[in-house]
């Protein structure tokens, strides 16, 4: 049993690094279907369940300290990559598709919460999931922390995210050969050739890790100071909002072009996932099927609205599919789908997915608070 806080945090860091390296250095196909964050969470939870981590004050203290400092730092770095200039150059079809995707996902969550009559904890968990499906796992953690989602409920949301996301990616890839038929149905023009010049500058130049770490920790400290003195909703929500605003402001400066923010942010994300998993001990998995079913219905609603919107606005399959996966799949999946249409369009998927870092936090908080209000 691990009783030392130093060994505890080192063990979690080792676990996160192990699965990250396993994904990058091997060609295991399982990582194409199950994201690495799920393995990190699952094994961290497994170790906690079998009693590897002692439940003492020292470990509880380092858990809270690491989580509250890493969360705003990660958000700040994620949002530095947002590129508003290039995003708004995507054109009417892609922008309409993106807005339609965000709104249809939000509506799907509200509708399902109403039908299933969620309690407060389920509402908070699905609010966190909404953040993931509008942005990414980083947004899920931020919103889950802000809304006070318990470790077990967060685990269920992560399972839904993984299962439904995998099925959604497979469906969208399956539909690629049928794009011409869909475009005839919507009477749309193919817009793919217009965007070969669109690019993201966030991965160019030398990697300046130390500068970015210093800035991220500074943003974290500043966010906590502001939250301690000016509480908007609750302290964690205030920290999330302030860190997000700092990241957005930084994206308008030369910091946007400093390479390395993505790697550091992902490292923080993996450690946060391991931390949360280390406090999750499931009594049973009986509620997982309920969560997965609710997630599946949300996707059906989202897909229906996207097809109707494509017919009304004459949108092509590429536009609505990439916009959808940029939200639900994020940076890991949207570029892959874009490349299946045309390899020169990878950057379009990247840009739309990166915008989700911004939309996911604010949109997820909005949806989460609506769901919680409905549950009361």
């Amino acid at each position: 049993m691990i009783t030392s806080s130093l060994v505890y945090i080192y063990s979690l860091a080792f676990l996160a690094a192990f699965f990250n390296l396993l994904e990058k250095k091997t060609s295991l196909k399982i990582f194409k279907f199950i994201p690495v964050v799920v393995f990190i969470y699952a094994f961290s939870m497994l170790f906690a369940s079998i009693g590897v981590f002692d439940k003492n004050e020292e470990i509880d203290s380092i858990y809270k300290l690491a989580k509250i400092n890493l969360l705003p730092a990660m958000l700040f770095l994620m949002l530095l990559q947002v590129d508003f200039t290039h995003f708004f150059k995507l054109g009417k079809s892609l922008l309409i598709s993106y807005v339609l995707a965000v709104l249809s996902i939000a509506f799907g969550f509200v509708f399902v919460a109403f039908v299933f009559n969620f309690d407060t904890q389920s509402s908070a968990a699905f609010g966190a999931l909404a953040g993931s499906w509008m942005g990414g796992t980083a947004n899920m953690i931020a919103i889950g922390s802000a809304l006070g989602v318990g470790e077990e409920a967060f685990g269920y949301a992560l399972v839904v995210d993984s299962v439904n996301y995998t099925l959604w990616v497979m469906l969208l890839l399956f539909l690629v050969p049928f794009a011409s038929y869909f475009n005839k149905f919507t009477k749309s023009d193919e817009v793919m050739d217009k965007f070969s010049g669109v690019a993201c500058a966030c991965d160019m130049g030398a990697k300046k890790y130390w500068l970015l770490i210093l800035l991220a920790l500074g943003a974290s400290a500043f966010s906590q100071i502001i939250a301690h003195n000016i509480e908007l909703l609750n302290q964690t929500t205030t920290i999330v909002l302030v860190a997000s605003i700092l990241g957005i402001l930084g994206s308008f400066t030369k910091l946007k072009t400093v390479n390395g923010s993505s790697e550091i942010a992902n490292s923080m994300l993996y450690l946060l996932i391991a931390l949360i998993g280390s406090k999750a001990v499931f009594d049973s998995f009986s509620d997982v099927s309920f969560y997965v079913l609710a997630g599946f219905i949300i996707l059906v609603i989202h897909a229906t609205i996207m097809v109707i919107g494509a017919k009304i606005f004459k949108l092509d399959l590429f536009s609505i599919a990439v916009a959808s996966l940029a939200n639900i799949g994020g940076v890991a999946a949207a570029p892959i789908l874009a490349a299946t249409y045309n390899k020169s369009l990878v950057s379009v998927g990247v840009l739309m997915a990166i915008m989700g870092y911004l939309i996911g936090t604010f949109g997820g908080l909005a949806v989460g608070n609506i769901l919680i209000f409905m549950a009361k």
Side-chain angles (χ1 to χ4, degrees):
M1 178 180 291
I2 294 174
T3 58
S4 165
S5 60
L6 179 61
V7 178
Y8 164 73
I9 202 73
Y10 176 82
S11 300
L12 295 179
F14 178 83
L15 180 67
F18 172 78
F19 280 106
N20 185 38
L21 287 172
L22 192 65
E23 179 193 30
K24 293 186 179 302
K25 301 298 183 181
T26 67
S27 56
L28 294 175
K29 293 183 179 180
I30 192 170
F31 290 113
K32 294 181 179 180
F33 303 101
I34 304 177
V36 67
V37 293
V38 174
F39 286 100
I40 294 172
Y41 182 91
F43 275 84
S44 180
M45 181 194 71
L46 174 63
F47 293 155
S49 300
I50 62 177
V52 172
F53 306 125
D54 188 25
K55 297 179 180 179
N56 60 40
E57 186 176 345
E58 186 180 354
I59 286 179
D60 288 342
S61 178
I62 196 67
Y63 167 82
K64 294 175 182 177
L65 184 65
K67 187 178 177 183
I68 199 66
N69 283 289
L70 285 176
L71 178 59
M74 177 193 66
L75 285 174
F76 172 77
L77 292 175
M78 288 284 192
L79 288 169
L80 282 184
Q81 303 167 52
V82 173
D83 194 326
F84 289 95
T85 303
H86 282 95
F87 179 77
F88 288 110
K89 289 180 180 179
L90 290 176
K92 185 175 71 173
S93 294
L94 282 168
L95 292 177
I96 290 174
S97 298
Y98 188 82
V99 172
L100 196 62
V102 172
L103 294 179
S104 61
I105 290 169
F107 176 78
F109 275 93
V110 174
F111 179 84
V112 166
F114 175 77
V115 171
F116 282 85
N117 193 25
F118 285 167
D119 58 24
T120 302
Q121 189 57 213
S122 295
S123 296
F126 271 83
L129 181 61
S132 178
W133 283 5
M134 292 179 181
T137 309
N139 303 96
M140 177 190 272
I141 294 175
I143 295 162
S145 299
L147 298 180
V149 178
E151 282 77 10
E152 183 173 335
F154 180 87
Y156 287 142
L158 194 61
V159 170
V160 176
D161 189 22
S162 176
V163 172
N164 287 281
Y165 151 78
T166 301
L167 295 174
W168 195 241
V169 171
M170 292 171 64
L171 174 63
L172 293 180
L173 289 172
F174 171 78
L175 291 175
V176 172
F178 303 97
S180 60
Y181 299 102
F182 183 88
N183 296 342
K184 287 180 182 178
F185 164 71
T186 60
K187 298 179 180 179
S188 64
D189 297 322
E190 294 189 7
V191 298
M192 294 184 291
D193 295 335
K194 300 178 182 179
F195 306 111
S196 57
V198 177
C200 175
C202 53
D203 291 324
M204 299 172 62
K207 299 180 186 293
K208 299 181 180 179
Y209 293 131
W210 288 111
L211 171 63
L212 291 167
I213 290 172
L214 178 65
L215 290 170
L217 293 179
S220 177
F222 182 78
S223 301
Q224 292 176 63
I225 291 170
I226 295 296
H228 182 73
N229 292 283
I230 306 172
E231 192 168 311
L232 301 176
L233 295 171
N234 60 54
Q235 192 169 44
T236 306
T237 302
T238 305
I239 290 172
V240 167
L241 292 175
V242 173
S244 298
I245 291 170
L246 290 175
I248 294 167
L249 293 175
S251 72
F252 286 99
T253 69
K254 292 182 179 180
L255 290 175
K256 176 177 63 181
T257 62
V258 177
N259 192 10
S261 58
S262 178
E263 290 94 333
I264 300 173
N266 283 335
S267 297
M268 293 177 175
L269 168 63
Y270 293 156
L271 185 54
L272 279 166
I273 288 290
L275 281 164
I276 295 171
S278 72
K279 291 295 181 179
V281 179
F282 287 0
D283 294 327
S284 72
F285 289 86
S286 59
D287 292 333
V288 170
S289 57
F290 162 75
Y291 276 77
V292 172
L293 175 62
F296 177 75
I297 294 173
I298 291 169
L299 288 180
V300 171
I301 294 170
H302 163 63
T304 303
I305 294 175
M306 291 297 284
V307 172
I308 294 172
K311 182 65 175 178
I312 294 172
F313 296 106
K314 297 182 179 180
L315 305 173
D316 66 316
L317 184 61
F318 167 77
S319 296
I320 65 168
V322 172
S324 173
L325 202 56
N327 281 271
I328 295 170
V331 177
I336 296 173
L337 179 63
T340 61
Y341 285 91
N342 190 319
K343 290 183 179 179
S344 65
L345 296 172
V346 170
S347 58
V348 174
V350 172
L351 281 171
M352 297 183 83
I354 287 177
M355 183 58 66
Y357 294 149
L358 170 62
I359 303 298
T361 297
F362 292 96
L365 279 173
V367 170
N369 280 290
I370 290 171
L371 300 190
I372 291 171
F373 175 78
M374 290 169 59
K376 293 180 178 179

